[in-house]
Amino acid sequence: MKKRMVLLSALVLCGCMLIGAGAADAASQTQLTRQAITHFQQSPPEEDTSYPGYPTWKTWQIDSCKVLPCRLIEEKDIWKLIFTPSDDSSR
């Protein structure tokens, strides 16, 4: 049950981030969200140790987007996934 709640939370946040950013059309948003959740489930985020003392996480690439995981609530294992274009010229 806990895993299902985390998955639903991630799905809602992913969808909101994609829609708010206008990253892609509705079909692409759904596909990107599903790919990000699948990746997240199969390979949990790795902590980026480049900045000691600051909890940051490594990004990964899906199609033309970079996905940045951010932990919102550690006790409940709730994350937010932020999608940004991987090509800086398209920002």
Side-chain angles (χ1 to χ4, degrees):
M1 185 64 149
K2 181 179 178 181
K3 188 174 183 178
R4 182 175 283 164
M5 289 299 294
V6 171
L7 178 63
L8 289 174
S9 297
L11 179 62
V12 169
L13 288 170
C14 288
C16 291
M17 293 304 297
L18 284 171
I19 292 167
D25 62 23
S28 296
Q29 290 175 2
T30 302
Q31 182 180 9
L32 284 172
T33 301
R34 287 182 182 155
Q35 289 175 341
I37 291 172
T38 300
H39 181 278
F40 187 87
Q41 288 175 325
Q42 293 173 352
S43 177
E46 295 179 44
E47 191 165 355
D48 186 353
T49 56
S50 316
Y51 305 99
Y54 296 97
T56 56
W57 307 93
K58 293 184 180 179
T59 62
W60 69 85
Q61 185 82 21
I62 297 179
D63 294 336
S64 61
C65 290
K66 285 184 185 176
V67 181
L68 170 66
C70 298
R71 179 173 271 164
L72 295 178
I73 303 173
E74 187 171 355
E75 298 81 25
K76 294 184 179 181
D77 200 26
I78 296 177
W79 294 79
K80 174 170 70 170
L81 301 176
I82 301 171
F83 295 79
T84 59
S86 59
D87 179 15
D88 290 334
S89 64
S90 65
R91 287 186 182 192

